[in-house]
Amino acid sequence: MQKTSIHFNCVKVDSEAHNFRKKKFEYVKSDLSHKNEYWVEEKISNRLLKIESFCKTKSGRKLQKNAMPIREAVVVINEDTSMLELQKLASELEKKLKIRIFQIAIHKDEGHYDKESKEWIPNYHAHLVADWQDLETGKTLKHTRFQYSQMQDIAADSLGMQRGEKKGVARLEAINFKIDQKLKELDDLENKIAELSSTIDPENFLNLNETKSNFFGIAKTSVEKTLENFITHAKTINFELSQMKMNNKVLIKNNDKLKSECTDFKNDIANLKNLNNLLLSNFELYNQKRREYLEAIFKLLGKTILQERLKYPISVNAETLNKTMSKICATIAEKNKIPEVAIEEIFKIERNNRVLFRYLKDGKPNKHEILKENSKDVNKDEAINPQNFLRR
């Protein structure tokens, strides 16, 4: 009786191209390809997306980079093995080992020619592509040595073939001991990772666990590489913490500065309130402060007018002068938060009105001209009413 065996490994990138003969291969006897049979429940790329999404939903973490969520097995079959028998095998694997097969390809067109007799020696086999995700945890399945041995029995029973011979007891015990040791290391490391993971934001948690699959398809953890990853990640976190401390010092310094400025503002407000009380109670002081305030505004107006006069020549047209003066007054009032009524007070005084418009029209006059002009009476018809431009 023909012997069978089944061994799962990580699915290859070109698996579908090979299994479903999407391209030509040198080792394939194309005139026999019509004997092949195929069954597909879903494409590998689509199933992988579902696995990643389910893992995130179920465990709260992304699928690990080194995980093997989709695996492929090559099963030795007879020439007359049917698709129904292979689907029975798939059903038993899911029932007893939670392995879910979603693609099957029966190949009867592969083999080789005998070097001496030149006879074609067929290699009858089937490819089983499996979803290796545990639906209870969202992670990849983990099987014991007994279950991998049981897998061979399931294949033989389902296909009505003889099981491949078991390895020697002594050799098997040695391998089992190593597997047990590695599984213990894996459990210890996973506990450490879980403990560290609980202190890290799951959204920013990196897949630091390095795993590989051994001969039996069991995912084992590389303790040295995983610890190295955690050490590197810890250094990164320490660096980020030091940066945060530096930023915190800057924030504290800025906060102290703001507090100091706030204190100054409070002192200024208190002084202004005191001054306001004095002005309300002391009429002479009020008049003095009022004159000083209006004189400061007058000087500011004069300085600004002369600066504008230097930028471009001002037309002697009265309408243009009014518009320009209006613009200058509005800008000064907005920039320096001067009330409109204060500007009006400046221009109510005919001397101020005359001098400021003289500045705007001709530039600053000399001292002799100012004295002479102060002594002149103003012709009411010639005087420019500030209301004409202050309310434009």
Side-chain angles (χ1 to χ4, degrees):
M1 183 183 292
Q2 176 72 22
K3 294 180 181 180
T4 186
S5 63
I6 179 172
H7 298 287
F8 280 94
N9 289 298
C10 184
V11 70
K12 296 180 181 178
V13 177
D14 62 346
S15 177
E16 288 179 339
H18 168 81
N19 293 351
F20 303 115
R21 299 297 188 249
K22 293 184 178 180
K23 61 181 182 178
K24 293 183 178 181
F25 299 93
E26 294 181 358
Y27 51 84
V28 170
K29 204 169 185 296
S30 58
D31 60 325
L32 297 176
S33 295
H34 67 280
K35 294 184 177 182
N36 295 345
E37 294 182 59
Y38 310 107
W39 173 81
V40 181
E41 181 183 289
E42 192 171 19
K43 292 183 66 174
I44 292 176
S45 58
N46 292 342
R47 180 58 67 96
L48 182 58
L49 289 174
K50 289 181 179 179
I51 290 172
E52 291 175 342
S53 176
F54 185 77
C55 178
K56 178 69 174 177
T57 302
K58 193 72 176 178
S59 66
R61 301 181 190 173
K62 293 182 180 179
L63 190 68
Q64 292 187 352
K65 293 180 180 179
N66 297 324
M68 294 191 297
I70 297 179
R71 305 188 187 188
E72 180 179 6
V74 176
V75 185
V76 178
I77 62 174
N78 288 318
E79 183 179 4
D80 60 351
T81 298
S82 67
M83 179 63 73
L84 186 61
E85 290 174 311
L86 287 166
Q87 287 180 335
K88 178 184 176 183
L89 169 59
S91 178
E92 290 296 311
L93 289 173
E94 182 174 0
K95 179 180 178 181
K96 296 178 180 178
L97 300 176
K98 299 181 181 180
I99 299 170
R100 290 172 289 134
I101 307 298
F102 63 93
Q103 287 185 5
I104 300 175
I106 299 175
H107 289 168
K108 296 182 179 180
D109 57 354
E110 291 185 41
H112 67 281
Y113 286 99
D114 185 87
K115 291 182 180 180
E116 296 181 359
S117 66
K118 305 300 180 180
E119 181 185 359
W120 172 256
I121 309 297
N123 173 21
Y124 300 123
H125 64 275
H127 293 264
L128 274 61
V129 179
D131 183 333
W132 214 262
Q133 187 174 43
D134 188 337
L135 295 179
E136 294 180 3
T137 65
K139 301 178 182 179
T140 52
L141 294 168
K142 293 179 182 179
H143 295 112
T144 65
R145 60 183 182 274
F146 171 75
Q147 288 173 317
Y148 277 97
S149 177
Q150 184 185 15
M151 193 184 297
Q152 307 304 319
D153 295 328
I154 294 172
D157 293 341
S158 300
L159 302 178
M161 299 174 67
Q162 186 178 345
R163 186 194 194 282
E165 294 182 2
K166 296 182 179 181
K167 294 181 177 291
V169 176
R171 175 61 178 161
L172 187 58
E173 288 180 352
I175 293 174
N176 289 341
F177 176 77
K178 290 182 179 179
I179 292 174
D180 288 339
Q181 289 298 109
K182 291 298 181 181
L183 287 174
K184 186 177 182 301
E185 290 179 4
L186 176 61
D187 289 338
D188 292 342
L189 186 58
E190 285 184 341
N191 290 333
K192 290 181 181 178
I193 292 172
E195 183 179 349
L196 287 171
S197 301
S198 63
T199 62
I200 303 175
D201 185 355
E203 293 296 326
N204 299 324
F205 181 70
L206 303 176
N207 292 318
L208 304 175
N209 189 22
E210 294 279 348
T211 60
K212 291 183 179 179
S213 292
N214 62 12
F215 176 78
F216 296 97
I218 297 177
K220 63 177 183 178
T221 298
S222 172
V223 180
E224 296 82 3
K225 184 63 178 176
T226 299
L227 291 177
E228 181 183 337
N229 290 345
F230 270 98
I231 290 172
T232 302
H233 188 55
K235 289 181 179 178
T236 302
I237 292 176
N238 286 335
F239 175 75
E240 292 175 351
L241 286 174
S242 64
Q243 292 294 108
M244 289 174 65
K245 288 180 180 179
M246 291 177 63
N247 293 337
N248 191 43
K249 288 181 179 178
V250 173
L251 290 174
I252 292 173
K253 184 177 179 180
N254 291 339
N255 187 48
D256 292 340
K257 182 179 178 181
L258 289 173
K259 286 182 178 179
S260 177
E261 291 178 356
C262 185
T263 302
D264 292 340
F265 282 135
K266 288 180 179 179
N267 291 335
D268 290 343
I269 291 171
N271 292 334
L272 288 172
K273 285 182 177 180
N274 291 333
L275 178 60
N276 187 54
N277 292 332
L278 286 173
L279 293 175
L280 292 174
S281 60
N282 191 326
F283 186 71
E284 185 177 345
L285 179 61
Y286 168 78
N287 283 331
Q288 178 187 339
K289 293 296 181 182
R290 179 178 180 277
R291 284 194 302 271
E292 290 175 359
Y293 181 61
L294 293 177
E295 285 175 5
I297 295 174
F298 177 80
K299 290 180 181 179
L300 180 60
L301 281 168
K303 182 179 179 181
T304 306
I305 289 169
L306 290 174
Q307 289 174 347
E308 292 295 316
R309 185 69 179 76
L310 293 174
K311 288 181 182 179
Y312 51 86
I314 303 297
S315 171
V316 294
N317 182 277
E319 182 179 358
T320 303
L321 289 174
N322 280 338
K323 288 182 178 180
T324 305
M325 184 65 77
S326 175
K327 181 179 179 181
I328 293 173
C329 291
T331 302
I332 291 176
E334 180 180 358
K335 185 176 180 180
N336 298 277
K337 301 186 185 311
I338 299 174
E340 183 177 321
V341 65
I343 301 290
E344 290 180 356
E345 286 294 320
I346 296 293
F347 282 93
K348 281 180 180 179
I349 302 173
E350 292 184 356
R351 173 189 170 280
N352 294 343
N353 191 322
R354 184 170 57 252
V355 170
L356 291 175
F357 272 93
R358 176 67 180 275
Y359 284 4
L360 182 61
K361 181 179 177 182
D362 302 323
K364 187 175 181 180
N366 57 43
K367 184 176 180 181
H368 175 72
E369 288 176 325
I370 293 174
L371 292 174
K372 182 179 179 182
E373 191 153 3
N374 287 344
S375 63
K376 292 171 60 179
D377 292 328
V378 180
N379 188 332
K380 291 184 179 180
D381 295 333
E382 295 177 356
I384 301 176
N385 188 348
Q387 304 299 329
N388 293 335
F389 58 90
L390 287 175
R391 300 188 184 279
R392 288 183 183 275

